[in-house]
């Protein structure tokens, strides 16, 4: 849209003209800080006054310009000073002054220029009806003066004007109106294009903000959960088993160091806009580290792989890793089970991830419930790639998280990862909806006291 004008127009008119065109047509006039067009009004006033004087020398049958005639010319041009603040009033004023000038019998000349500029400003500002009425009124007044009222108006012994002159005046009126409408439409198009670009920029900023929030949540929730469990172990064993407490403190140190490294990596992407991250994003190749970290918190993780593993696109690999990480974090925080089973099923069209634990849930026995964003983040990650996440209690107890991530080509997956994060299904309330393959009442929020809470 911004390149719709020809090159010569973009070079000659420049950004100032572009800014003027992109002002919304319904923008309020007379607001503080609006500058009056002193220079252009002065130029028009001088041109109209001097031009009418020269034109009067070639029209001896008209009334010579006197003080009143010059006063009307100056007044009609001077009101253009307020054409941006009060376009309707200026249009009516220039039309009235022009009609009075013609009725007084003064020479023809550039007297119509202030009217044309006033009507132009009104149409561009959106006041089309007033401008059209002003132009039509002046043309009708000229018809009356030139063909019927000339007998009673100066100059004396004047005759009717030729009808060809009326066609010329009508053509001028139509040309002024058409040019004004063209500029108005162009201005609206540019304003709409600017608004669309601004909305797209805000949307991209929102998407990036949500992406960073998900990354920080996934990193911090897992690491802090491990730190919380090991801190409790260390406090419990500090007096009678200092060696085991030392092991817990060592685990806390390692987990906090890893969390700081990943948080620093996320924040580096904010400090170096446009640059690629300095280290690769985590993927399923780091699953052994994740299970070892969960093992240090007392959770034994059994990982099973089915099918033929394929090289995932970076966005899909990261989403799969974060989903497993969040599921294990929830088990550490909210389940009494000390074992978890992770199944990675590499199918021809999708990667299916299933994370199970045998429960029971412990969020209702001491921890504050709910309010987390873990399940929401998992759903958003999967939905951005065209996949799904389902989570809920199993019929035999325990809890299950099942995710499906399509195996799109690398380029398509990267493009899909940039889609709006909120495109996927939204949970109805904080908590975990039931798995449709498990207990009845699938995809509903489980009671707080009977299931795990999301992190």
């Amino acid at each position: 849209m911004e390149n719709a004008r020809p090159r010569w127009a973009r070079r000659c008119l420049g950004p100032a003209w572009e800014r003027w065109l992109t002002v919304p047509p319904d923008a309020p006039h007379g607001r503080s800080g609006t500058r009056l067009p002193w220079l252009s009004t002065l130029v028009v006033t001088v041109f109209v006054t001097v031009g009418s004087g020269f034109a009067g020398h070639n029209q001896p049958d008209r009334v010579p310009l006197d003080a009143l005639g010059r006063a009307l010319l100056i007044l009609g041009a001077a009101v253009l000073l307020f054409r941006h603040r009060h376009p309707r009033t200026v249009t009516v004023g220039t039309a009235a002054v022009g009609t009075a000038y013609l009725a007084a019998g003064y020479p023809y000349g550039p007297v119509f220029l202030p009217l044309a500029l006033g009507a132009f400003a009104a149409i561009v500002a959106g006041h089309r009806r007033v401008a059209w009425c002003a132009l039509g009124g002046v043309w009708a007044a000229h018809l009356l003066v030139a063909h019927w009222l000339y007998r009673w108006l100066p100059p004396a012994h004047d005759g009717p004007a030729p009808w060809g002159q009326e066609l010329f005046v009508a053509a001028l009126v139509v040309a002024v109106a058409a040019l004004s409408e063209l500029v108005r439409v162009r201005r609206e198009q540019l304003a709409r294009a600017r608004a669309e670009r601004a909305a797209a920029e805000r949307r991209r900023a929102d998407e990036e903000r949500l992406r960073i929030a998900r990354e920080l949540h996934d990193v911090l929730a897992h690491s802090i959960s491990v730190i919380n469990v090991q801190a409790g172990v260390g406090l419990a064993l500090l007096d009678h088993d200092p060696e085991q407490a030392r092991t817990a403190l060592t685990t806390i140190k390692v987990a906090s160091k890893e969390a700081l490294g990943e948080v620093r990596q996320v924040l580096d992407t904010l400090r170096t806009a446009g640059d690629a991250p300095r280290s690769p994003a985590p993927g399923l190749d780091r699953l052994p580290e994740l299970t070892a970290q969960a093992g240090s918190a007392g959770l034994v993780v059994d990982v099973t792989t089915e099918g033929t593993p394929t090289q995932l696109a970076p966005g899909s690999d990261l989403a799969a890793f974060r989903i497993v990480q969040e599921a294990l974090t929830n088990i550490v925080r909210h389940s009494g089970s000390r074992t978890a089973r992770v199944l990675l099923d590499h199918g021809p069209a999708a990667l299916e991830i299933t994370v199970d634990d045998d429960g029971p849930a412990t969020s209702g026995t001491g921890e504050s419930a709910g309010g987390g964003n873990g399940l929401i983040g998992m759903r958003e990650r999967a939905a951005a790639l065209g996949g799904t996440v389902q989570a809920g209690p199993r019929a035999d107890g325990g809890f299950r998280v099942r995710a499906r991530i399509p195996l799109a080509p690398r380029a398509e997956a990267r493009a899909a990862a940039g889609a709006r994060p909120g495109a996927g299904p939204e949970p109805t309330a904080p908590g975990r909806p039931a798995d449709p393959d498990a207990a009845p009442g699938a995809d509903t929020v489980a009671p707080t006291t009977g299931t795990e809470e999301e992190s």
Side-chain angles (χ1 to χ4, degrees):
M1 180 65 70
E2 61 271 14
N3 294 327
R5 287 185 292 137
R7 292 183 178 178
W8 64 266
R10 292 199 298 270
R11 287 197 302 267
C12 297
L13 298 177
W17 173 262
E18 188 80 15
R19 287 194 300 269
W20 179 81
L21 278 179
T22 52
V23 175
D26 56 348
H29 295 278
R31 59 186 182 277
S32 60
T34 303
R35 298 179 60 183
L36 297 176
W38 290 97
L39 182 59
S40 60
T41 303
L42 179 62
V43 171
V44 172
T45 303
V46 172
F47 177 77
V48 170
T49 305
V50 176
S52 298
F54 279 107
H57 294 302
N58 299 323
Q59 303 177 49
D61 55 333
R62 305 294 294 176
V63 176
L65 275 177
D66 53 13
L68 177 60
R70 295 184 185 279
L72 289 174
L73 292 174
I74 294 175
L75 178 61
V79 294
L80 293 175
L81 187 65
F82 305 98
R83 63 184 181 272
H84 297 317
R85 294 188 177 184
H86 310 287
R88 290 177 292 185
T89 304
V90 169
T91 303
V92 174
T94 54
V97 172
T99 301
Y101 180 90
L102 293 176
Y106 291 115
Y108 293 103
V111 64
F112 295 109
L113 181 59
L115 173 62
L117 293 177
F120 178 86
I123 292 177
V124 170
H127 308 297
R128 306 167 61 194
R129 184 176 301 176
V130 174
W132 278 94
C133 290
L135 291 172
V138 172
W139 183 64
H142 183 267
L143 281 177
L144 291 174
V145 170
H147 296 279
W148 287 282
L149 300 180
Y150 64 89
R151 301 180 183 88
W152 302 279
L153 296 174
H157 311 294
D158 192 15
W163 283 100
Q165 176 180 298
E166 303 307 327
L167 295 178
F168 176 72
V169 174
L172 285 180
V173 170
V174 172
V176 169
L179 177 62
S180 303
E181 291 288 351
L182 179 63
V183 173
R184 181 187 64 82
V185 171
R186 176 61 175 165
R187 192 181 189 187
E188 291 177 351
Q189 291 174 345
L190 291 176
R192 187 161 50 248
R194 172 175 287 186
E196 291 174 356
R197 289 195 299 270
E201 291 175 359
R202 289 194 298 269
R203 185 166 56 250
R204 286 193 295 270
D206 290 342
E207 292 171 357
E208 184 65 13
R209 176 179 58 81
L210 291 175
R211 185 191 69 80
I212 294 174
R214 283 199 306 267
E215 288 293 324
L216 290 176
H217 172 271
D218 293 344
V219 170
L220 295 178
H222 178 77
S223 300
I224 292 178
S225 296
V226 173
I227 291 173
N228 179 58
V229 171
Q230 292 298 320
V233 172
L235 289 175
L237 301 178
L238 185 61
D239 294 331
H240 59 276
D241 194 349
E243 204 55 41
Q244 189 67 24
R246 183 187 300 275
T247 303
L249 293 176
T250 302
T251 303
I252 291 175
K253 180 180 178 180
V254 173
S256 61
K257 183 178 180 180
E258 291 180 357
L260 287 174
E262 294 201 36
V263 169
R264 188 176 294 112
Q265 177 183 343
V266 174
L267 296 180
D268 282 344
T269 62
L270 298 178
R271 298 191 181 100
T272 56
D275 295 341
R278 298 181 181 179
S279 57
L284 291 179
D285 57 335
R286 289 185 54 185
L287 201 55
E289 299 179 27
L290 184 62
T291 57
Q293 194 175 47
S296 65
L299 180 66
V300 178
V301 182
D302 179 22
V303 180
T304 304
T305 301
E306 294 183 356
T308 303
T310 58
Q311 181 66 33
L312 299 177
S316 302
D317 204 15
L318 174 62
F321 176 81
R322 292 303 189 198
I323 289 173
V324 174
Q325 183 184 50
E326 180 61 31
L328 295 180
T329 299
N330 284 349
I331 295 173
V332 170
R333 294 185 61 187
H334 306 299
S335 175
S337 175
R338 294 299 88 194
T339 59
R341 295 178 297 280
V342 178
L343 173 62
L344 302 178
D345 186 1
H346 296 268
L351 168 64
E352 294 190 1
I353 303 171
T354 305
V355 182
D356 285 293
D357 73 273
D358 298 328
T362 60
S363 58
T365 62
E367 290 189 41
S368 59
N373 297 303
L375 289 179
I376 297 176
M378 285 193 287
R379 288 191 177 93
E380 288 177 348
R381 286 186 182 277
L385 298 168
T388 58
V389 170
Q390 297 171 333
R394 302 201 314 263
D396 57 348
F399 205 84
R400 170 175 294 173
V401 175
R402 176 175 293 174
R404 183 180 187 276
I405 300 177
L407 298 180
R410 183 179 298 268
E412 296 179 8
R414 187 181 298 112
R420 187 170 182 83
E426 295 274 343
T428 57
R432 290 185 161 185
D435 187 283
D437 296 336
D443 206 25
T444 58
V445 179
T448 300
T449 57
T451 63
E452 305 162 28
E453 290 295 333
E454 57 180 298
S455 63

